[in-house]
Amino acid sequence: QQKIRIGITGYGNLGKGAEIAVNQNPDMELVAVFSRRKLSGTKSGVPAILLDEAEKYRDQIDAMLLCGGSATDLVEQGPRLASVFNTVDSFDTHAKIPDYFSAMDAAAKSAGKVATISIGWDPGLFSLNRLLGGAVLPHGKDYTFWGKGVSQGHSDAIRRIPGVKDAKQYTVPKQEMLEAVRAGQEAPSAANETHSRECYVVAEQGADLALIESAIQTMPHYFAGYETTVTFVSEAEFQAQHAGIPHGGVVFRTGQTSPGVGHVVEFSLALASNPEFTASVLTAYARAAYRLSRQGAAGAYTIFDIPPGHLLPQSPEELRKLLL
Ligand code: NDP
């Protein structure tokens, strides 16, 4: 049987993770990596191609993993590539998902392709588990705890403050609240009540540290309203202690089926590398996108629309053995 031929667009953290993930799946073959930059090569040795040339690979790629950033790359690259390839992306600007879905749906439908959007872990596997919890326990409450992990958006926001050379922000769940929810107790669910933020900052020589600290702690939308600690570290300590991109978290649904009969549904992730894991989710959904496309489907899909059986290489008959 022929392998599923995969392309990767964007060679940042997620793109590099995708290269690793695809190579772990024996039913897949990585064809090329596409980048806006002229890359000197790829880790796995597959060709690095300029993104402008991607359309020429129309007949050589069964599914394209879109690994650009959500803020500006995907809104532009997504519809363009969805009109040529089956695609999978991890678009995570939550408020803009409906607009992005419409743009991807139109592009994919007109090309007869499948565009799977907002795949990853949040949005992604966490969304799916919230859906399952809510369906099974209609009388209940959702809780999501993120971390401990690096938030790239918050780290970027700190790096934009004058006097900051480098920075990393960890989102940290309040453990006592997490344990209370796990034990079936009521707890607040607002993110700023259930999480704190830890910032590690390398300052420029001579920078006013007190000013940087207050600029972080009062930054609207990002830090204001959160318990935020700022720790200044040397460049050497930053490299040694804060080079990784770990993340994860826990989704809970707690509810009662009759008075006094409570249940707790829990799904948790502890990820040593957010991009490598997210890319692994994209890769599984690339298989599903390819299969849907082979069945004649076209248009945009979210994680809610994709049958789980399409995620594994086995046939439905083989998969039924997992039920035994
Ligand atoms: P990066 O900033 O590492 O990469 C984004 C793009 O920037 C790349 O595709 C690449 O495009 C370009 N780029 C990367 N490195 C460089 C460089 N050194 N110089 C110039 N350009 C560069 O972002 P991530 O890969 O970490 O994350 C991508 C997106 O994944 C995030 O925006 C986020 O939305 C999403 N994500 C979603 C998750 C989910 O659960 N849904 C979880 C984690 C991430 P090019 O090669 O074309 O230049």
Side-chain angles (χ1 to χ4, degrees):
Q1 200 188 338
Q2 235 195 344
K3 293 192 178 197
I4 306 173
R5 300 165 302 171
I6 304 285
I8 294 172
T9 294
Y11 204 46
N13 298 312
L14 192 59
K16 288 178 184 138
E19 190 175 22
I20 295 168
V22 172
N23 285 321
Q24 286 194 329
N25 287 276
D27 64 325
M28 294 184 177
E29 175 192 354
L30 183 58
V31 174
V33 170
F34 299 87
S35 172
R36 289 163 294 190
R37 292 163 293 152
K38 194 162 173 35
L39 301 173
S40 55
T42 60
K43 277 199 184 128
S44 63
V46 299
I49 310 287
L50 273 178
L51 182 57
D52 286 341
E53 314 270 295
E55 278 80 357
K56 292 183 190 157
Y57 285 74
R58 179 186 295 271
D59 299 324
Q60 293 169 50
I61 286 172
D62 297 315
M64 184 71 97
L65 304 180
L66 308 187
C67 297
S70 293
T72 52
D73 298 342
L74 291 176
V75 279
E76 185 260 313
Q77 296 172 358
R80 186 180 134 203
L81 292 165
S83 64
V84 183
F85 303 103
N86 296 314
T87 61
V88 188
D89 69 57
S90 66
F91 187 75
D92 70 352
T93 314
H94 295 251
K96 293 192 180 154
I97 288 174
D99 287 346
Y100 185 68
F101 182 92
S102 300
M104 292 298 273
D105 193 47
K109 272 196 180 124
S110 67
K113 299 288 179 187
V114 169
T116 37
I117 74 151
S118 300
I119 302 293
W121 60 278
D122 199 2
L125 300 183
F126 271 16
S127 328
L128 189 58
N129 280 278
R130 285 186 205 110
L131 181 150
L132 291 173
V136 174
L137 294 176
H139 293 277
K141 191 168 169 186
D142 287 324
Y143 298 89
T144 303
F145 292 88
W146 293 274
K148 181 179 179 178
V150 174
S151 163
Q152 301 282 18
H154 288 79
S155 304
D156 287 346
I158 300 173
R159 281 195 288 268
R160 284 197 289 269
I161 296 171
V164 171
K165 201 167 179 189
D166 213 341
K168 210 146 230 191
Q169 193 267 184
Y170 298 90
T171 306
V172 186
K174 292 190 176 167
Q175 205 57 35
E176 68 282 6
M177 292 200 193
L178 192 152
E179 292 304 337
V181 172
R182 185 174 272 149
Q185 293 160 16
E186 271 287 314
S189 57
N192 63 342
E193 289 179 273
T194 51
H195 297 80
S196 59
R197 301 196 177 280
E198 287 177 8
C199 313
Y200 293 86
V201 179
V202 182
E204 305 273 11
Q205 191 105 39
D208 183 337
L209 303 188
L211 208 64
I212 293 176
E213 182 170 353
S214 99
I216 295 173
Q217 288 172 333
T218 56
M219 195 187 294
H221 310 301
Y222 285 86
F223 296 98
Y226 280 86
E227 190 182 307
T228 303
T229 58
V230 179
T231 308
F232 291 95
V233 294
S234 68
E235 203 150 13
E237 187 183 343
F238 190 82
Q239 294 306 336
Q241 303 293 331
H242 303 288
I245 320 178
H247 219 319
V250 192
V251 166
F252 290 103
R253 176 78 178 177
T254 60
Q256 295 196 346
T257 44
S258 44
V261 183
H263 312 275
V264 178
V265 179
E266 173 173 347
F267 177 74
S268 104
L269 294 172
L271 315 174
S273 161
N274 181 2
E276 285 190 26
F277 181 82
T278 302
S280 302
V281 184
L282 294 189
T283 302
Y285 278 86
R287 183 180 291 115
Y290 171 65
R291 287 198 173 170
L292 285 170
S293 169
R294 295 242 312 187
Q295 292 174 353
Y301 288 74
T302 73
I303 201 159
F304 299 146
D305 309 315
I306 295 170
H310 280 348
L311 298 172
L312 279 167
Q314 288 88 338
S315 68
E317 184 189 18
E318 285 170 314
L319 288 180
R320 281 196 286 277
K321 292 182 191 148
L322 296 176
L323 299 169
L324 301 180

